[in-house]
């Protein structure tokens, strides 16, 4: 897992992830939207497609037409099978959804997200956008650090995929450059360890769940909503790698002692 260097530009650290996209034209439109804001070009950021539901999306005539000058971003997109592969190397993931969830992580605006990731040079963030019709499944939303809800007209809040990507990319550009085009200066207040990656945190949750089952705190056959609640609890923090290791160490000791009984 290769992480970008600390304090590199947000334009190099940002990743846009499209999950189960149905229309190739929408992929091309997203490529255009993020390129206009300075993301996705050669050597800067990434566009990643998770199991797209259209054939050959990088060469589809509609995708190429809608990319309209951003063919380099489209051709440079990566196609992967799972969200885990898409988030490899990321340590701050944001789900984008108009639909709020009972057990979602903290809800942020695009501006709050952009300001946070622009100022925190140690973060390698990912913006995750779901299928045009169904959005993102709860399982993906729950493993993210935050849920981004674009504050649109409540009477008609439906944005298409490229529009949502454009809003997010714009806010990230403004945060990265500052209102006057001057790069934002990351805050150096307080000590911060390396932020834990999304896959590291998911591994911690699996380990913790095993430990809770072992001590009969969690009924594996009737788990109800305990794990989603714990995920929501931890998502209110920005877990660091060392903190994840501590929690996994606790889970390891629990499992060790239960096996000795």
């Amino acid at each position: 897992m290769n992480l970008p260097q600390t304090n590199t530009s947000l334009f190099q650290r940002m990743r846009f992830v499209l999950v189960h996209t149905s229309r190739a034209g929408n992929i091309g439109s997203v490529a255009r939207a993020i390129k206009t804001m300075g993301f996705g070009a050669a050597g800067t950021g990434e566009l990643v497609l998770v199991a797209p539901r259209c054939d050959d999306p990088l060469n589809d005539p509609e995708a190429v037409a809608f990319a309209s000058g951003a063919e380099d971003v489209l051709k440079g997109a990566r196609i992967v099978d799972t969200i885990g592969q898409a988030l490899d190397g990321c340590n701050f993931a944001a789900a984008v959804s108009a639909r709020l969830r009972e057990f979602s992580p903290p809800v942020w605006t695009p501006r709050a997200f952009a300001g946070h990731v622009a100022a925190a040079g140690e973060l390698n963030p990912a913006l995750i956008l779901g299928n045009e019709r169904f959005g993102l499944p709860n399982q993906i939303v729950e493993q993210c650090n935050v849920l981004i809800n674009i504050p649109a007209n409540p009477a008609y809040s439906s944005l298409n995929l490229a529009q949502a990507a454009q809003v997010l990319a714009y806010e990230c550009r403004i945060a990265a450059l500052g209102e006057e085009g001057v790069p934002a200066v990351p805050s150096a207040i307080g000590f911060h360890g390396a932020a834990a990656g999304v896959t590291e945190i998911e591994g911690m949750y699996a380990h913790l769940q095993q430990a809770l089952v072992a001590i009969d705190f969690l009924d594996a056959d009737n788990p109800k909503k305990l794990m989603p609640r714990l995920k929501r609890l931890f998502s209110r923090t920005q877990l660091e790698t060392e903190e994840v290791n501590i929690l996994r160490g606790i889970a390891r000791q629990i499992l060790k002692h239960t096996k000795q009984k």
Side-chain angles (χ1 to χ4, degrees):
M1 180 172 67
N2 297 318
L3 300 181
Q5 293 180 354
T6 300
N7 292 327
T8 53
S9 165
L10 183 59
F11 296 104
Q12 295 173 298
R13 293 185 280 116
M14 179 63 69
R15 187 176 301 178
F16 292 82
V17 178
L18 307 184
V19 178
H20 300 159
T21 312
S22 294
R23 291 288 301 272
N26 286 332
I27 295 172
S29 294
V30 169
R32 180 180 181 180
I34 65 176
K35 184 174 181 178
T36 60
M37 294 297 116
F39 297 95
T44 64
E46 289 183 273
L47 175 61
V48 183
L49 315 178
V50 179
R53 296 182 176 178
C54 46
D55 295 329
D56 198 15
L58 306 188
N59 298 296
D60 185 282
E62 185 181 76
V64 174
F66 279 53
S68 185
E71 292 90 349
D72 57 329
V73 178
L74 180 64
K75 296 297 184 185
R78 292 190 296 121
I79 300 177
V80 298
D81 295 324
T82 67
I83 189 66
Q85 293 171 325
L87 296 180
D88 184 37
C90 294
N91 54 16
F92 195 83
V96 182
S97 177
R99 180 166 60 91
L100 301 181
R101 321 295 172 97
E102 181 181 3
F103 292 105
S104 82
V107 180
W108 287 13
T109 64
R111 190 160 300 174
F113 168 82
H116 180 73
V117 297
E122 76 281 1
L123 293 182
N124 306 310
L127 283 164
I128 307 172
L129 298 100
N131 175 270
E132 299 92 330
R133 182 178 177 186
F134 304 108
L136 288 171
N138 290 336
Q139 182 181 3
I140 291 179
V141 173
E142 290 172 2
Q143 66 180 280
C144 290
N145 299 93
V146 297
L147 185 150
I148 296 179
N149 184 260
I150 298 174
N153 175 10
Y156 185 65
S157 60
S158 176
L159 281 75
N160 69 30
L161 195 58
Q163 288 173 333
Q166 186 82 73
V167 169
L168 295 160
Y170 169 79
E171 290 291 350
C172 288
R173 178 177 181 83
I174 294 301
L177 297 180
E179 292 290 347
E180 304 300 326
V182 179
V185 179
S187 171
I189 299 174
F191 171 77
H192 296 284
V198 175
T199 52
E200 289 180 281
I201 294 174
E202 279 303 296
M204 178 204 76
Y205 287 139
H207 205 169
L208 184 59
Q209 182 170 339
Q210 291 177 1
L212 295 177
V213 170
I215 61 173
D216 295 326
F217 190 84
L218 173 64
D219 183 352
D221 296 323
N222 187 26
K224 296 183 179 179
K225 297 178 178 179
L226 176 62
M227 291 310 298
R229 287 185 185 277
L230 286 176
K231 289 183 179 183
R232 184 172 65 174
L233 183 155
F234 283 115
S235 70
R236 290 198 289 267
T237 71
Q238 176 56 56
L239 283 169
E240 299 173 2
T241 296
E242 187 173 348
E243 294 166 342
V244 167
N245 290 339
I246 290 171
L247 290 167
R248 295 200 71 160
I250 294 171
R252 192 178 301 112
Q253 286 299 109
I254 291 173
L255 291 169
K256 177 181 176 181
H257 283 281
T258 53
K259 288 178 181 179
Q260 291 175 350
K261 291 183 179 180

